[in-house]
Amino acid sequence: MKFLHKLAISTAIAAALMAGPASAAERIALVVKSLGNGFFDAAAKGAEEAAKEIGDIEVIYTGPTSATAEGQIEIINSLIAQQVDAIAISANDPDALVPVLKKAMDRGIKVISWDSGVAKDGRMLHLNPSDTKLIGETIIKLAADHLPEGGEVAILSASSTATNQNAWIEAAKEVLPTKFPKIKLAAVVYGDDDSVKSTNEAKGLISSYPDLKAIIAPTTVGVVAAAQVVTDQKLIGKINVTGLALPSEFKKFIDNGASEGVALWNPIDLGYSAVYLSDQLVKGKKAEPGATFSIGKVGSITLDETNAAAMAAPYQFDKSNIEKFSKIY
């Protein structure tokens, strides 16, 4: 029998104390940046699907109530006390989590990062959702394709310490001069994957840059917040909102014209793959450069020199296909 537990930070310690004998042979904790995020809820569905396929796995779906490293550290300590078999984490900070994750590995717990990575010393392998350079180029291209004359764009990111966000932004900056010379990056701001702060940051960008043509948000929280601001301020057709978005959450903004299109990999596949990788480590497979790991129906990955690999290219969504994909995730 499989269980999917949603544990808030305030109850994580209590859950550890109350836990009885495990009902599964293997327990894998899927630790996300924060609870209440549709992207991670979708990943949890995939994790549970993988657990069912493999068998004898309990998935513990958990994360802090806000996207902080401190919240994740407290939860990881609780998971260590519970003696879980594996921790698969999307990190709020690449470095701050290393000591507690090394502690987990010292106790025999297998540790991987996925989506947003941990520094190499704090994990055994890392699963990128897609190739970092490809994502960086994609988010700029989504804006540039609808700006034939060029113009100012701004990026609304998650937290300033998010490994994946920072890598994508740097990759985007690298391709601007050569592939998108007419596009000017006016600013990068951070909404911390909080809808209220992301809303305020989007409003600030619009106020500060009157010639702004696009807001690029490589975060599913930020992109929704920015599109809502553009809708509320009646700027549809003047400012295009794009980035990385869940089709189910973002369809209305494609429909109303606040966005010409967005992209994302399948978060269900990402959670699914994280469980497949964790299970193989628990069963004794060694993570080392050149090693190939199965990720079930998604395919396979081969680790690079940093023990990292990418899952798949992102999908792009616009009016031609958003209806179909919004029914899936």
Side-chain angles (χ1 to χ4, degrees):
M1 185 175 185
K2 318 298 185 301
F3 296 92
L4 182 63
H5 301 294
K6 289 188 178 181
L7 307 178
I9 187 171
S10 59
T11 62
I13 302 300
L17 295 174
M18 293 171 63
S23 60
E26 185 177 309
R27 291 181 296 159
I28 297 174
L30 192 75
V31 182
V32 299
K33 290 181 177 180
S34 62
L35 296 177
N37 183 317
F39 176 89
F40 293 120
D41 288 345
K45 292 179 182 178
E48 192 67 10
E49 181 183 344
K52 183 177 180 180
E53 282 184 14
I54 298 167
D56 282 333
I57 293 178
E58 175 189 353
V59 173
I60 302 171
Y61 176 41
T62 182
T65 54
S66 59
T68 66
E70 293 78 10
Q72 287 187 319
I73 288 169
E74 186 171 345
I75 284 174
I76 293 165
N77 276 318
S78 172
L79 293 168
I80 293 171
Q82 294 181 60
Q83 299 179 326
V84 297
D85 296 290
I87 294 172
I89 185 166
S90 177
N92 284 319
D93 188 295
D95 301 312
L97 298 174
V98 169
V100 72
L101 289 172
K102 288 179 71 175
K103 176 183 173 183
M105 289 188 288
D106 287 344
R107 303 288 176 85
I109 297 171
K110 309 302 181 184
V111 175
I112 75 165
S113 55
W114 57 282
D115 178 49
S116 183
V118 176
K120 188 176 179 182
D121 288 346
R123 46 78 173 172
M124 302 173 75
L125 63 82
H126 172 64
L127 178 67
N128 281 307
S130 186
D131 178 76
T132 296
K133 291 184 178 180
L134 177 59
I135 297 170
E137 181 174 339
T138 296
I139 60 176
I140 294 295
K141 188 175 186 298
L142 285 166
D145 281 350
H146 301 281
L147 292 172
E149 303 302 318
E152 286 189 342
V153 305
I155 293 177
L156 169 58
S157 187
S159 72
S160 60
T161 58
T163 315
N164 55 349
Q165 301 278 321
N166 289 337
W168 300 335
I169 292 167
E170 287 305 309
K173 290 177 178 178
E174 287 179 10
V175 299
L176 278 172
T178 55
K179 293 192 175 183
F180 308 102
K182 294 181 180 181
I183 302 298
K184 178 185 177 182
L185 180 58
V188 178
V189 298
Y190 302 93
D192 292 343
D193 266 348
D194 177 85
S195 59
V196 174
K197 185 174 182 183
S198 296
T199 296
N200 290 335
E201 292 291 349
K203 290 178 179 178
L205 287 172
I206 292 169
S207 175
S208 299
Y209 301 96
D211 295 325
L212 194 66
K213 301 299 182 184
I215 296 176
I216 302 167
T219 155
T220 58
V221 176
V223 75
V224 168
Q228 190 63 59
V229 170
V230 166
T231 300
D232 292 345
Q233 295 193 6
K234 302 186 186 307
L235 294 172
I236 292 173
K238 295 181 179 180
I239 297 177
N240 175 35
V241 178
T242 189
L244 304 178
L246 277 171
S248 59
E249 293 181 344
F250 205 71
K251 179 181 179 296
K252 62 181 178 181
F253 299 114
I254 298 286
D255 290 345
N256 75 4
S259 175
E260 296 285 354
V262 289
L264 197 67
W265 38 90
N266 188 333
I268 297 173
D269 285 351
L270 194 55
Y272 173 97
S273 299
V275 167
Y276 258 86
L277 293 172
S278 299
D279 172 67
Q280 288 166 85
L281 292 176
V282 171
K283 289 175 177 172
K285 188 172 179 66
K286 188 175 181 180
E288 57 187 4
T292 297
F293 281 75
S294 169
I295 45 177
K297 65 180 182 181
V298 179
S300 64
I301 58 167
T302 300
L303 300 182
D304 65 16
E305 67 279 3
T306 68
N307 277 5
M311 186 181 72
Y315 297 103
Q316 294 191 31
F317 312 105
D318 54 29
K319 286 186 177 180
S320 70
N321 62 5
I322 191 72
E323 177 74 28
K324 171 186 173 182
F325 285 101
S326 67
K327 296 176 181 178
I328 301 172
Y329 61 95

